[in-house]
Amino acid sequence: MDSVTEIFLKLLFFMSVHNRSMVVTGNTYNCDDPLVSTLPQSSFSSSSELSSSHSPGFAKLNRREGAGGWSPLVSNKYQWLQIDLGERTEITAVATQGGYGSSDWVTNYLLMFSDSGRNWKQYRQEESILAISGNTNADSVVYYKLQHSIKARFLRFVPLDWNPNGRIGMRIEVYGCTYKSEVIGLDGKSCLIYTFKQEPMSALKDVISMKFKAMQSDGILLHREGKNGDHIILELVKGKLSLLINLGGYKTHSSSTQINISLGSLLDDQHWHSVLIEHFNNQVNFTVDKHTHHFHAKEVFNYLDLDYELSFGGIPVSEKSGTLSQRNFHGCFENIYYNGVNVIDLARRHKSQISFVGNMSFLCLEPKVVPVTFLSSRSYLALPGISGQEVAISFQFRTWNSEGFLVSSKVKQASGGFFLYLSDGKVKISIQKPGKLLTDLTAGVGLNNGLWHSVSFSAKRNRISLIVDNDMLSSAHASIPLQIYSGDTLYFGGCPNNGNYSECKSSFGGFQGCMQLISIGNEAVDMISVQQNIFGNFSDLQIDLCGIMDRCLPNYCEHGGKCSQSWNNFYCNCNNTGYKGATCHYPIYEKSCEAYKHRGKNSGFYNIDSDGSGPLGPFLVYCNMTDTTWTIIQHNNTNLTRIKSANRENPHAAFFKYSASLNQLQGTINHAEHCEQEISYHCKKSRLLDKPDGLPLSWWIGRTNEIQTYWGGSLPAVQKCACGLEGSCIDSQHYCNCNADRNEWTSDIGFLSYKEHLPVTEIVVTDTDRPNSEAAFKLGPLLCRGDRAFWNSASFNTETSYLHFPTLHGEFSTDVSFFFKTTASAGMFLENLGIQDFIRIELYSPYEVIFSFDVGNGPNEVKVQSLTFLNDNQWHYVKAERNIKEASLQVDKIPQKSHAAPPDGHFRLQLNSQLFVGGTASRQKGFLGCIRSLQLNGIALDLEERAKITPGVEPGCPGHCSSYGNLCDNGGKCREKYSGFTCDCTFSAYAGPFCKKEISAYFGTGTSVIYSFQENYTFAKNSSSHASAFYADMTLNRETITFAFRTTRTPSLLLYISSFYKEYLSVILSRNGSLQIRYKLDSHQDPDVCSINFKSMADGQLQHVKIDREREILFVEVNQNERMKFILSSGTEFNAIRSLILGKILENSDVDEETMKANSQGFIGCLSSVQFNHISPLKAALQHSSSAPIIVKGRVIESNCGTLTGLDSTLSETTHSFADHSGPIDEREPLANGISSDSAVIGGVIAVVIFILLCITAIAIHIYRKKSRYSKNEKKGSENEDSAESALKSELSIQNTASENQKEYFF
């Protein structure tokens, strides 16, 4: 279909829908005629009247007849004024006045409507507001425009509040117009069948609309069937409307060929509900009342084969339907339209297209049922029992509460009493006699589901019976040694508060919900007589209506949260959603790896939520926490892929699926400072382009779903590879190496870094069908670094300066988060205003932040007070959230404060001004300081861009180290950057982004690491380097030494420091495994020996040692235990330090005998994080061996053996080696021989055989060497090894055999 025809048909479709809407809803133009002024007095009625001159007939607007209005006999909340409009009418507005020239007026009232004068329904505003604001004096007219029109014959005004210095007084007017409708009634045993001709447009669109009023909770409203069992069913199931579209026959095995959507709730309330089903092309809109579900049904409608027949109210031939529900609809239809055809009108005129099954009438007859609403836990209904007779009580109820009082009787002295109640959604009954519980029965389950449930309780002689929903399976029976009588009074729903009715009270609250069809002694209770106070008594009831509402419709639980409810409130279960809060609005995961990093997290897998509280969910990534934070996102095809025999007619296409959706990836890419993805294309007689600037022979497709012909390292739209930009291609006539079309392997490798095109989703290759032609490609993971929003900030330099942004939109839920720092005592962070509504966050005092707002219920505030000052010029975090259930405020890690919202108040936040940040146009007290990472509903505001063009505001904000400097650990120094900070680990024995990564190595036999201070002497004389502090003739009065080790060998030399004056320090493990620190600070005396021997430290476990000396006082701390103090006698000064040695002393030295014994084998094991003052000799040996004054002799293997879980973490790092990029890695390795030598099958087989033989040989040599090495080590060690040494050797063996992350140094 061409685009013009499609546009024309769409236009016709929408015109037909528009016309249909006009017919269904009636005339919506000028529907504001006054309806009351012409009515006779007989059309007015009321609950009571003060006098004949205050009768309801005088309640017309602006009239002065009688006493000038209606007033009831008693002013209370059970009074009402009723109008009969004579026929169903569309009502659009009402107006009220007080009594003429009096002190009588109503300030708030309810508006109710009905078709029959029974079973009333309350008018509700959009936000579930029941009360309508009335008058403030007697004569002013208050006009109220209904948010949505109502169609009814009867209206009832129910005063809620009135002038406290007067009484209830009302004059009213109603505005609207005539409502035309066609109605048909079905008795549950009949249906209407409409047969139509197929029209050309029907393939494109179908529109069905109707209204219905259901007398039962189940029944089929619409059915259309076709061949092979294809069908469409619209069915009422437990008060909800279900739309089922199914492909019958063999097709039903596929879940994609069936659609089942449920909408609405409580649709069996005997009130009108509207349904609209619009099918246009493959798009379907399903609307019930005001709730619409949109879905795409392409596969279903392409194959759906339906007859040209619609049945309303049931299925005419049940055999065609298989297992479908056979319950016909019992109720009324109004204004059924199918593609603009009025079906009921055709039926009224007995047209041939219409046929009937069963009996039906063109009237809507309603059963005379009078429901009662128990509004609160204080509600009750007291009815007279039948004294002296056996008990027989029945009724129906509906509620959302799992517990509640149902029925109770007084306990007589001579007989027992009973207590019927709801507990855990089950009906229970307790039979009592004075002072004793006789029995407790239970029936039913899940009865708090909002549906009507019937209960029947009887006690005849000594047998009691409890039946729920007329189901014998949901019944309970028992025999008791007592006869039960109903007593004088039965209490339904609760008990009166006054007087002593202890036998009626329960351990939980009263019943909240609806009851109807109450029967006592097999006689129905006339609730209208109760309402008129003819008999019985009640409190806090609404009679003749059921006010139940579904608070989970619509579902305000976001992100898939599950909604549950009680009578007054709803609750959200956020488990497994990735979100938290009262409505599952706020994410529990950070938006980026950068945010995790600045919470002090290490490299690893994390869930990130790129749009915060937005619609996109969290997903798993790998965060590589280096100085630059990299986010790594894998796809499903990481291997090298080889292609042969591909051409333009039969291309090879590879598709890539990522661990996140494209929308989620887009959010991450947009936030990142830079993204890239390595793409490698290896070729042998396989071109990317047939000639320069020619047609592409291979291409890739990215996120925008567009063909891209530039390759790694190049720029968009230039059709080049990296070598083409650099001028380094193997053939200067081409822009890619592969375009040279050579009969040998070459490659084009590089990174794609244009963010708008990433990630790669497809690679297509077409040029591998010529002789000897072959290609291979490999696509790396998506790599992104940084987070543009995390450090985005602005500095506000004057109190009158501010930034402005578009209006904040968050009617139902809004969250705001940001960082701030200031020295000012107060200031406005942000403000957004509406006509009445507003939202505002401010620093109210140096220790208090206030979040204030108004959504129509009056101003609200949430305050958080800090025990420390917030104007300390350090970054502080603020998070505020408002949803329809509560408002909350969090500041730093102070416990969150929250305020609950009223359950039936306004909840839409309606703003219209600009959003002001850092100040406001209406108030002078702006904010002085910095605001950073401001995010509204998951969207980051670009403060820096707006600050560039705003006077008094500067982009960026220096001074991050004052807040984040504590993240730099182990002696690392915080260094400021424009966007953030970095930890300088130069003078720390640790590495990593926060100087927390241990620098560790395994030392083999005879290994020695020598750090020479003498070499620094001449280098540093004219240098400002810290190393210049160590002159050869320098005297040290103090030093601090820290290191960690693990070994099983004794004796061992851990550390040795020599001087030019034969002074030294040695740290050894003695033969019994005790730690000895031997200071010789006087060459003419024996060394001081400080021993720590509370356990053997040669147990293969990681041991931490810290040595602090100040003059003659020495402190030693082992494994963070209590420090031990020693006094040195050999001296107080360490003179002319020469070198520091780890492992074996290889030079001639004059040391004591114990040190010599320990040095005989040096140190075999793991040393970690060695630091002497600000010198880190092990780190220098492993990372700066070429520039540092360091000599390494023997074998040193860098590892992570210095961690508490060194072995485990090594293995895990190896397992996740794909994620260990510190950034892009361009290996540029040639392809394996298998690709380049596979010119023939025989050659390939030979190559494989040779490769296997080489592998076997290499493995054998490796095993022999390793065995030889360890056998030598064992000969040098003790003959009787303990188990700890064996464990360590095993660990050494694993570490030596390969971790690809280990580095090996051998000199």
Side-chain angles (χ1 to χ4, degrees):
M1 181 186 301
D2 60 68
S3 59
V4 175
T5 304
E6 185 174 353
I7 292 172
F8 176 71
L9 290 174
K10 287 184 177 181
L11 181 61
L12 287 177
F13 167 69
F14 287 117
M15 288 176 63
S16 69
V17 172
H18 178 70
N19 292 333
R20 186 269 317 154
S21 300
M22 291 177 58
V23 174
V24 171
T25 60
N27 178 19
T28 57
Y29 298 98
N30 301 320
C31 189
D32 55 2
D33 301 327
L35 304 175
V36 171
S37 57
T38 59
L39 292 176
Q41 286 201 1
S42 59
S43 297
F44 295 81
S45 58
S46 64
S47 54
S48 66
E49 56 188 48
L50 182 61
S51 66
S52 59
S53 59
H54 292 85
S55 67
F58 298 121
K60 296 182 180 180
L61 198 71
N62 293 321
R63 296 293 182 90
R64 302 180 183 181
E65 293 87 353
W70 165 74
S71 288
L73 180 62
V74 179
S75 291
N76 61 30
K77 59 184 179 181
Y78 301 112
Q79 306 300 323
W80 44 263
L81 171 65
Q82 181 174 311
I83 304 162
D84 180 0
L85 297 173
E87 61 180 353
R88 288 192 71 206
T89 306
E90 183 169 0
I91 300 155
T92 59
V94 295
T96 60
Q97 273 180 310
Y100 172 71
S102 69
S103 299
D104 307 335
W105 61 83
V106 173
T107 56
N108 284 288
Y109 62 93
L110 298 178
L111 183 64
M112 300 185 182
F113 58 95
S114 169
D115 284 350
S116 62
R118 287 286 180 266
N119 189 27
W120 295 86
K121 186 171 184 178
Q122 294 180 128
Y123 170 80
R124 295 178 184 271
Q125 301 177 34
E126 290 286 345
E127 299 174 353
S128 301
I129 304 297
L130 301 177
I132 299 174
S133 297
N135 300 89
T136 56
N137 56 50
D139 294 318
S140 297
V141 176
V142 175
Y143 179 88
Y144 179 74
K145 176 74 172 178
L146 302 185
Q147 293 184 2
H148 52 88
S149 67
I150 55 180
K151 289 83 179 176
R153 174 179 172 179
F154 295 89
L155 277 186
R156 182 175 281 187
F157 294 79
V158 181
L160 294 178
D161 299 293
W162 47 90
N163 179 20
N165 299 318
R167 61 174 64 244
I168 292 174
M170 292 193 80
R171 290 177 287 171
I172 56 97
E173 181 58 270
V174 177
Y175 302 92
C177 57
T178 302
Y179 177 69
K180 298 297 183 182
S181 67
E182 299 282 355
V183 177
I184 193 168
L186 288 82
D187 59 2
K189 302 175 183 178
S190 55
C191 68
L192 180 152
I193 302 169
Y194 169 52
T195 305
F196 56 92
K197 295 180 180 179
Q198 180 73 358
E199 299 177 5
M201 279 289 293
S202 63
L204 290 174
K205 63 102 179 172
D206 262 323
V207 180
I208 302 174
S209 66
M210 70 182 80
K211 284 190 173 184
F212 70 92
K213 180 187 292 188
M215 307 303 166
Q216 295 178 347
S217 60
D218 298 275
I220 293 175
L221 274 69
L222 170 68
H223 174 253
R224 184 178 178 185
E225 193 156 341
K227 300 174 183 177
N228 302 317
D230 293 6
H231 59 261
I232 296 178
I233 295 270
L234 183 64
E235 184 176 10
L236 193 63
V237 180
K238 294 184 178 180
K240 297 183 178 182
L241 208 52
S242 175
L243 176 63
L244 174 65
I245 304 172
N246 188 76
L247 291 180
Y250 68 93
K251 306 168 193 171
T252 56
H253 297 291
S254 172
S255 60
S256 64
T257 61
Q258 179 170 306
I259 296 171
N260 193 348
I261 296 167
S262 181
L263 271 184
S265 178
L266 308 175
L267 301 178
D268 58 340
D269 58 358
Q270 299 181 25
H271 291 285
W272 290 108
H273 298 279
S274 61
V275 182
L276 174 63
I277 303 173
E278 299 170 295
H279 162 217
F280 179 64
N281 284 342
N282 297 308
Q283 182 68 35
V284 179
N285 301 328
F286 177 35
T287 303
V288 177
D289 294 333
K290 297 175 292 183
H291 309 292
T292 301
H293 185 95
H294 307 275
F295 61 94
H296 198 69
K298 180 177 181 179
E299 184 173 349
V300 173
F301 280 109
N302 280 349
Y303 297 99
L304 202 59
D305 187 4
L306 299 172
D307 296 335
Y308 306 146
E309 181 179 287
L310 289 171
S311 63
F312 297 92
I315 302 177
V317 183
S318 59
E319 290 78 8
K320 293 175 63 177
S321 316
T323 60
L324 292 174
S325 168
Q326 298 303 304
R327 177 171 294 184
N328 283 18
F329 175 71
H330 183 195
C332 305
F333 286 114
E334 179 185 69
N335 293 344
I336 300 175
Y337 282 87
Y338 176 67
N339 290 337
V341 176
N342 188 333
V343 176
I344 298 179
D345 179 63
L346 294 178
R348 182 186 292 275
R349 293 187 287 131
H350 305 288
K351 294 295 184 180
S352 59
Q353 302 100 306
I354 302 296
S355 58
F356 300 97
V357 175
N359 299 317
M360 60 186 63
S361 65
F362 295 100
L363 296 174
C364 187
L365 301 177
E366 301 181 23
K368 301 298 183 182
V369 177
V370 182
V372 180
T373 303
F374 293 77
L375 293 172
S376 70
S377 59
R378 302 180 303 276
S379 303
Y380 73 89
L381 171 64
L383 296 175
I386 304 176
S387 181
Q389 291 194 16
E390 295 175 333
V391 178
I393 298 172
S394 64
F395 60 92
Q396 293 183 355
F397 75 90
R398 70 190 313 173
T399 184
W400 299 114
N401 291 0
S402 60
E403 295 183 342
F405 184 116
L406 293 176
V407 188
S408 178
S409 71
K410 288 186 179 181
V411 177
K412 291 288 187 180
Q413 294 296 326
S415 66
F418 65 89
F419 175 39
L420 192 66
Y421 60 100
L422 195 63
S423 177
D424 193 28
K426 304 172 184 177
V427 172
K428 296 187 177 182
I429 187 165
S430 296
I431 306 297
Q432 309 166 10
K433 65 179 294 185
K436 185 178 181 181
L437 174 66
L438 296 180
T439 188
D440 199 351
L441 296 181
T442 300
V445 65
L447 303 178
N448 59 324
N449 57 2
L451 299 177
W452 284 110
H453 297 282
S454 64
V455 177
S456 176
F457 168 63
S458 63
K460 296 181 179 180
R461 296 184 178 84
N462 298 106
R463 183 165 180 80
I464 61 174
S465 176
L466 178 63
I467 301 174
V468 174
D469 289 336
N470 298 316
D471 184 0
M472 296 307 296
L473 297 177
S474 296
S475 62
H477 308 274
S479 297
I480 57 173
L482 188 70
Q483 192 159 355
I484 305 297
Y485 297 102
S486 67
D488 297 332
T489 306
L490 294 173
Y491 294 101
F492 289 81
C495 300
N497 290 326
N498 57 332
N500 182 17
Y501 295 101
S502 59
E503 72 275 11
C504 170
K505 293 182 180 177
S506 64
S507 60
F508 43 81
F511 174 75
Q512 289 179 281
C514 301
M515 289 188 185
Q516 67 180 15
L517 300 176
I518 300 174
S519 176
I520 300 174
N522 297 318
E523 291 189 9
V525 174
D526 183 1
M527 291 307 303
I528 298 300
S529 297
V530 175
Q531 184 183 37
Q532 296 170 351
N533 296 315
I534 296 175
F535 75 96
N537 189 19
F538 62 90
S539 176
D540 209 15
L541 295 187
Q542 287 182 326
I543 297 178
D544 207 7
L545 84 158
C546 178
I548 191 171
M549 61 179 295
D550 192 338
R551 297 181 183 274
C552 289
L553 185 71
N555 184 3
Y556 291 108
C557 301
E558 301 179 46
H559 301 109
K562 295 182 179 179
C563 181
S564 61
Q565 60 187 310
S566 64
W567 183 263
N568 291 325
N569 219 327
F570 74 93
Y571 312 93
C572 296
N573 183 347
C574 305
N575 291 341
N576 303 317
T577 65
Y579 298 85
K580 61 183 179 180
T583 59
C584 312
H585 173 76
Y586 200 78
I588 63 176
Y589 302 113
E590 298 289 351
K591 295 185 67 173
S592 65
C593 289
E594 186 82 13
Y596 278 114
K597 175 182 175 181
H598 289 89
R599 284 174 49 187
K601 299 295 184 181
N602 297 320
S603 296
F605 288 96
Y606 296 93
N607 281 297
I608 64 172
D609 196 334
S610 57
D611 71 336
S613 58
L616 304 178
F619 59 97
L620 192 67
V621 301
Y622 188 88
C623 298
N624 198 10
M625 310 298 193
T626 60
D627 289 338
T628 299
T629 306
W630 287 92
T631 302
I632 302 168
I633 306 171
Q634 269 293 5
H635 55 77
N636 63 334
N637 188 3
T638 58
N639 298 324
L640 189 70
T641 302
R642 297 171 56 182
I643 308 106
K644 291 183 177 180
S645 304
N647 52 44
R648 289 186 180 276
E649 289 71 28
N650 185 28
H652 175 90
F655 299 91
F656 302 90
K657 293 184 178 180
Y658 292 79
S659 57
S661 69
L662 289 182
N663 287 332
Q664 290 171 322
L665 293 175
Q666 181 177 353
T668 299
I669 293 170
N670 291 344
H671 285 137
E673 295 174 353
H674 171 80
C675 290
E676 57 189 26
Q677 192 168 16
E678 186 179 42
I679 186 168
S680 306
Y681 190 84
H682 307 273
C683 52
K684 184 173 69 171
K685 290 191 68 62
S686 176
R687 299 158 295 168
L688 296 172
L689 295 170
D690 58 355
K691 59 182 178 179
D693 299 324
L695 294 175
L697 295 173
S698 295
W699 59 87
W700 58 273
I701 296 174
R703 173 164 46 94
T704 59
N705 205 30
E706 298 173 339
I707 292 177
Q708 307 297 338
T709 57
Y710 69 99
W711 292 83
S714 184
L715 299 176
V718 296
Q719 290 195 1
K720 293 182 179 181
C721 301
C723 69
L725 289 183
E726 299 166 359
S728 59
C729 296
I730 58 176
D731 187 338
S732 59
Q733 296 181 2
H734 297 278
Y735 296 134
C736 293
N737 290 323
C738 289
N739 291 346
D741 203 24
R742 296 190 175 184
N743 194 20
E744 59 186 25
W745 284 102
T746 186
S747 61
D748 287 294
I749 302 174
F751 283 89
L752 304 169
S753 58
Y754 189 66
K755 286 171 52 175
E756 284 71 12
H757 293 164
L758 295 178
V760 177
T761 60
E762 183 181 355
I763 294 178
V764 180
V765 178
T766 67
D767 187 26
T768 59
D769 64 339
R770 294 176 292 159
N772 296 327
S773 178
E774 189 175 356
F777 63 80
K778 183 178 182 180
L779 181 68
L782 176 65
L783 308 174
C784 292
R785 59 171 164 81
D787 182 350
R788 294 189 304 143
F790 190 78
W791 296 108
N792 189 286
S793 59
S795 301
F796 298 85
N797 301 324
T798 67
E799 289 187 351
T800 58
S801 60
Y802 57 80
L803 301 177
H804 58 86
F805 293 90
T807 305
L808 170 63
H809 294 289
E811 284 191 322
F812 303 119
S813 55
T814 303
D815 68 274
V816 181
S817 64
F818 58 91
F819 294 86
F820 78 91
K821 69 173 184 174
T822 185
T823 57
S825 60
M828 183 70 61
F829 293 129
L830 61 86
E831 181 183 74
N832 206 159
L833 305 176
I835 297 175
Q836 178 182 346
D837 297 359
F838 70 86
I839 186 170
R840 183 182 299 127
I841 305 176
E842 59 184 313
L843 180 67
Y844 188 74
S845 71
Y847 54 87
E848 188 174 43
V849 175
I850 293 181
F851 170 39
S852 55
F853 60 91
D854 187 353
V855 295
N857 303 315
N860 261 287
E861 286 187 349
V862 185
K863 300 179 181 179
V864 170
Q865 292 184 334
S866 172
L867 297 177
T868 58
F869 286 115
L870 298 172
N871 60 341
D872 56 358
N873 205 31
Q874 294 195 20
W875 287 115
H876 296 280
Y877 178 67
V878 175
K879 177 183 79 71
E881 180 185 348
R882 189 212 72 86
N883 53 59
I884 68 174
K885 282 187 65 69
E886 67 176 17
S888 61
L889 178 63
Q890 174 105 45
V891 178
D892 294 333
K893 295 183 180 180
I894 303 171
Q896 177 177 286
K897 293 293 181 67
S898 59
H899 285 177
D904 290 315
H906 295 277
F907 54 77
R908 291 178 185 266
L909 178 64
Q910 297 176 327
L911 307 173
N912 54 25
S913 75
Q914 290 182 317
L915 170 68
F916 293 93
V917 176
T920 172
S922 61
R923 301 174 64 168
Q924 294 299 314
K925 189 64 174 176
F927 174 72
L928 285 173
C930 297
I931 296 178
R932 174 171 69 83
S933 189
L934 175 60
Q935 306 200 28
L936 278 67
N937 294 327
I939 300 174
L941 299 188
D942 195 340
L943 300 175
E944 294 187 354
E945 281 300 313
R946 191 58 60 95
K948 291 176 182 178
I949 58 174
T950 305
V953 187
E954 294 182 0
C957 185
H960 302 299
C961 283
S962 61
S963 301
Y964 294 106
N966 61 335
L967 292 178
C968 299
D969 213 344
N970 299 306
K973 301 297 181 183
C974 183
R975 307 295 185 198
E976 292 285 349
K977 292 167 54 180
Y978 176 77
S979 293
F981 70 99
T982 185
C983 292
D984 184 355
C985 306
T986 302
F987 303 111
S988 170
Y990 293 75
F994 300 117
C995 308
K996 292 182 178 180
K997 179 184 177 183
E998 294 85 356
I999 303 295
S1000 312
Y1002 275 106
F1003 281 60
T1005 303
T1007 297
S1008 179
V1009 175
I1010 305 167
Y1011 189 99
S1012 177
F1013 298 107
Q1014 180 191 24
E1015 292 185 16
N1016 276 359
Y1017 178 63
T1018 55
F1019 167 80
K1021 286 207 175 201
N1022 298 316
S1023 170
S1024 60
S1025 168
H1026 284 269
S1028 64
F1030 289 93
Y1031 295 134
D1033 55 354
M1034 180 181 176
T1035 298
L1036 285 181
N1037 293 319
R1038 65 179 67 183
E1039 60 269 350
T1040 298
I1041 304 169
T1042 59
F1043 63 92
F1045 71 92
R1046 64 166 85 194
T1047 187
T1048 59
R1049 295 300 187 100
T1050 60
S1052 289
L1053 178 63
L1054 300 173
L1055 179 145
Y1056 175 76
I1057 302 175
S1058 65
S1059 80
F1060 287 98
Y1061 298 156
K1062 297 185 178 181
E1063 299 173 3
Y1064 65 86
L1065 162 64
S1066 66
V1067 182
I1068 67 173
L1069 287 181
S1070 64
R1071 184 167 294 277
N1072 65 0
S1074 64
L1075 180 70
Q1076 291 187 1
I1077 300 166
R1078 310 176 77 88
Y1079 261 104
K1080 185 173 183 178
L1081 300 182
D1082 187 335
S1083 60
H1084 303 294
Q1085 293 187 21
D1086 291 335
D1088 290 297
V1089 180
C1090 307
S1091 296
I1092 295 92
N1093 53 12
F1094 58 87
K1095 72 163 191 171
S1096 172
M1097 301 184 70
D1099 58 0
Q1101 302 299 313
L1102 190 64
Q1103 316 286 346
H1104 292 270
V1105 179
K1106 183 177 182 180
I1107 302 170
D1108 277 307
R1109 182 187 72 88
E1110 185 167 358
R1111 300 183 66 81
E1112 73 277 5
I1113 300 175
L1114 178 69
F1115 290 98
V1116 180
E1117 182 180 321
V1118 176
N1119 294 332
Q1120 298 181 345
N1121 294 318
E1122 184 178 353
R1123 293 202 307 171
M1124 290 166 282
K1125 180 178 179 180
F1126 301 91
I1127 304 297
L1128 303 181
S1129 60
S1130 63
T1132 62
E1133 297 177 344
F1134 203 165
N1135 297 293
I1137 295 176
R1138 179 180 180 181
S1139 61
L1140 183 152
I1141 299 173
L1142 304 175
K1144 190 174 182 62
I1145 305 172
L1146 300 179
E1147 61 189 25
N1148 293 326
S1149 57
D1150 187 8
V1151 295
D1152 60 273
E1153 183 178 355
E1154 290 297 320
T1155 301
M1156 287 296 295
K1157 290 179 181 179
N1159 186 56
S1160 63
Q1161 60 182 4
F1163 177 76
I1164 300 174
C1166 170
L1167 276 176
S1168 174
S1169 304
V1170 183
Q1171 182 135 11
F1172 175 75
N1173 290 346
H1174 57 260
I1175 299 298
S1176 305
L1178 184 60
K1179 181 179 179 181
L1182 295 176
Q1183 298 185 357
H1184 309 289
S1185 57
S1186 60
S1187 59
I1190 200 88
I1191 298 174
V1192 180
K1193 296 187 177 180
R1195 186 183 182 88
V1196 181
I1197 303 172
E1198 182 178 1
S1199 179
N1200 57 359
C1201 60
T1203 63
L1204 291 176
T1205 56
L1207 180 60
D1208 294 338
S1209 57
T1210 299
L1211 294 177
S1212 66
E1213 285 182 14
T1214 303
T1215 303
H1216 302 301
S1217 60
F1218 80 86
D1220 294 329
H1221 296 296
S1222 60
I1225 298 176
D1226 189 358
E1227 298 175 353
R1228 297 194 181 276
E1229 295 178 355
L1231 282 152
N1233 290 338
I1235 294 179
S1236 59
S1237 61
D1238 190 21
S1239 57
V1241 175
I1242 296 177
V1245 173
I1246 293 173
V1248 171
V1249 172
I1250 293 174
F1251 178 75
I1252 293 173
L1253 291 173
L1254 289 173
C1255 289
I1256 294 173
T1257 304
I1259 292 171
I1261 294 172
H1262 177 73
I1263 293 173
Y1264 174 80
R1265 286 179 176 176
K1266 187 172 72 169
K1267 183 176 180 181
S1268 174
R1269 180 168 67 249
Y1270 283 104
S1271 64
K1272 290 178 182 178
N1273 290 341
E1274 289 171 356
K1275 289 178 182 178
K1276 291 182 181 180
S1278 170
E1279 293 289 330
N1280 300 318
E1281 297 178 37
D1282 58 16
S1283 60
E1285 182 170 4
S1286 299
L1288 181 63
K1289 281 188 174 181
S1290 175
E1291 186 176 333
L1292 279 164
S1293 174
I1294 294 175
Q1295 294 283 357
N1296 287 340
T1297 54
S1299 143
E1300 63 181 24
N1301 302 318
Q1302 294 172 347
K1303 299 177 184 177
E1304 187 172 297
Y1305 299 83
F1306 188 75
F1307 298 85

